Structures are given as structure tokens and as C-alpha cells.
Amino acid sequence: MTYGYARCSTNETKQDINCQVRELKAAGADTIFLEYEHGDSKVKSQQEAMFAQAQAGDTILTLEVPRLARSTQQLCEIIDRVREKRLRLVIIGSITLDCREGRADPMSEAFLQMAGVFSQLELAMIRTRVRSGMANAKVKGKQIGRPQVTADSIPAIFLRHYPAYKNGQLNISELARVCDISRTTVYKYIGLLEA
């Protein structure tokens, strides 16, 4: 069996995970696990499910090392799992770590670990640039983070359906659905209106 693993940081913006899916299918993935989680997150439920399902001799495909992990420690743990389960890990167009015989080629393992170091370095550099940019913007008087919500900034669609909620015609879940917002946001807006 050949499994594909695609990951992007968030599903809020629906980063184009479909591009990864297309490439994994073209490379021969039978089943693709989609993960919407940050690369250095300790818990990646879809990755766990993939490893739980994979059997000795199976292949795992992914497009690049940062899709698997953004931490060298996590990558080393993945390498150990690949070895223990006797799998083949293919970073498409790059590195293949074949542990189907119970051991890996030392050179392939070393290259994979080095790729993990660079992946972790890249993440650290991105975070440093973001912090620097935020500090610079703050010095210039820009507001950092989400704008503060006030009663005046509540969307018109919510104000249009709010009376139906007050009259008992809609419950919280229905109000959230018709306004296309989360229940948490509904509670926030209600709190502002009823304060």
C-alpha cells in the first residue's frame, strides 16, 4: 500500500493542500492523509492515523521534509517509526529512506536528518522575521493582532438576525449558521450588545 501525507498549517485560509494532493496522487499514493496542523505541533492526528494503518512493506510519500516535521527531534522519531514498522519513506524528488529490510542506508538517513535540521532552521528564521516585523510595526504605531471588536463593528447580517434570537425563533447554533460565524463569535457579539 502507498500512503500520501499532505500537511499545511491551517484550514482557515484553506492553504492550497489540493496541490499536494495532486502531486501525491501522480506519484502513486493510494490513500492520502490530510493534516491541517502546524509543522512543529507535537500532535498530528492524521500522521498518527497513517502510521497506525501502515503495515510492513508499505510506502509513505510526502513532498518535502517540512510537511512531515519542522523539528529535528520529531523527524528523528518519524525515522525510528519508519525503521520499526519496516516502511519506505519517500520525499518525492529528493530522499528515499527504505527500511523494508529492517535497516536504512546510513547515507539516506543522514541526508534526511540534515534536511530536518534545515527545516527547523527555516522555521526559526521565519519566526524571527515575524517577531521583528511586528516589533517594527508596533514602534510605528500600528495595531498588532486582530482589531478590537466593538458594538459598532458587528456585521449587519448579525444585527439583522439578532432580533429573531432575542424572540426565541433562533438558538445560538442557528444564529451562528445563518450568519456564517462561529458560536464563539456569536457569544462575543451578544455580550457586546447586551453589555
Side-chain angles (χ1 to χ4, degrees):
M1 186 77 167
T2 301
Y3 298 98
Y5 180 73
R7 184 197 60 76
C8 65
S9 296
T10 176
N11 63 357
E12 289 175 15
T13 58
K14 293 288 186 200
Q15 289 180 348
D16 194 7
I17 202 164
N18 295 325
C19 178
Q20 293 179 56
V21 170
R22 281 190 301 274
E23 290 185 46
L24 290 167
K25 282 183 180 176
D30 301 311
T31 302
I32 298 175
F33 288 83
L34 305 179
E35 189 94 67
Y36 292 99
E37 194 62 64
H38 198 274
D40 67 346
S41 173
K42 291 188 188 308
V43 177
K44 295 187 187 84
S45 60
Q46 292 303 302
Q47 191 177 92
E48 285 298 315
M50 177 182 65
F51 277 115
Q53 192 171 327
Q55 301 295 315
D58 289 347
T59 296
I60 294 174
L61 304 174
T62 194
L63 296 180
E64 52 191 32
V65 173
R67 296 295 167 212
L68 283 175
R70 282 280 198 174
S71 139
T72 307
Q73 177 185 350
Q74 288 177 11
L75 184 61
C76 288
E77 290 168 3
I78 289 169
I79 291 169
D80 288 343
R81 288 184 84 174
V82 167
R83 187 182 300 111
E84 288 166 11
K85 292 200 82 168
R86 294 179 172 252
L87 303 171
R88 184 172 71 122
L89 173 63
V90 178
I91 312 299
I92 296 172
S94 178
I95 303 165
T96 297
L97 184 68
D98 193 344
C99 297
R100 292 177 293 184
E101 299 299 321
R103 61 191 181 290
D105 169 48
M107 192 64 83
S108 297
E109 189 169 338
F111 277 126
L112 188 57
Q113 289 172 345
M114 284 176 18
V117 169
F118 286 115
S119 177
Q120 185 171 331
L121 173 64
E122 178 187 31
L123 179 62
M125 290 170 61
I126 289 169
R127 287 181 171 162
T128 300
R129 283 194 303 266
V130 168
R131 280 193 295 272
S132 174
M134 289 172 64
N136 189 35
K138 198 171 188 179
V139 166
K140 291 180 178 179
K142 304 264 182 180
Q143 180 183 341
I144 305 300
R146 293 184 180 184
Q148 187 171 359
V149 178
T150 64
D152 295 333
S153 64
I154 294 175
I157 190 168
F158 182 85
L159 297 173
R160 187 168 53 248
H161 293 289
Y162 178 68
Y165 163 74
K166 286 299 282 182
N167 295 333
Q169 296 168 330
L170 294 174
N171 64 31
I172 294 285
S173 296
E174 293 166 335
L175 182 58
R177 186 178 43 78
V178 297
C179 296
D180 196 27
I181 57 177
S182 70
R183 289 170 43 124
T184 305
T185 303
V186 168
Y187 284 118
K188 185 188 304 180
Y189 290 167
I190 290 172
L192 288 169
L193 291 174
E194 296 180 357

